[in-house]
Amino acid sequence: MLNKTRSNPKQTIFSLILFLPLLFLVVNSLKTQEYEGERSILLKLKKEFGIDSSVLESWISNKSHHCNWK
């Protein structure tokens, strides 16, 4: 027969208070790494192809988010 154990509501809330901010930090960090990787790839392509025209002048590493590049 299975022994049902009840979790303490205070302990559950405390665990969530500790866990949720950590989860947020991990997800945010992964997104930042993904965006930086995409930006890096685009800048490498621009450099490798030798494209230095006014069309890609918005492709600057310290400029706005790469999704906003023209």
Side-chain angles (χ1 to χ4, degrees):
M1 195 175 251
L2 294 173
N3 185 7
K4 293 185 178 182
T5 60
R6 293 185 182 183
S7 61
N8 184 349
K10 289 181 182 179
Q11 184 179 11
T12 303
I13 291 171
F14 182 72
S15 297
L16 286 174
I17 289 171
L18 289 176
F19 177 72
L20 289 177
L22 290 174
L23 180 63
F24 174 76
L25 289 173
V26 168
V27 169
N28 192 32
S29 175
L30 292 174
K31 283 184 179 181
T32 301
Q33 289 175 4
E34 179 182 334
Y35 292 145
E36 290 303 317
E38 291 172 352
R39 178 190 307 236
S40 176
I41 290 169
L42 290 171
L43 290 171
K44 285 178 184 177
L45 283 172
K46 178 183 173 185
K47 182 179 178 182
E48 289 297 318
F49 289 131
I51 302 171
D52 194 25
S53 68
S54 62
V55 175
L56 301 180
E57 67 184 23
S58 66
W59 290 31
I60 300 172
S61 61
N62 60 356
K63 194 108 171 158
S64 64
H65 193 277
H66 65 279
C67 288
N68 296 327
W69 292 351
K70 294 180 182 177

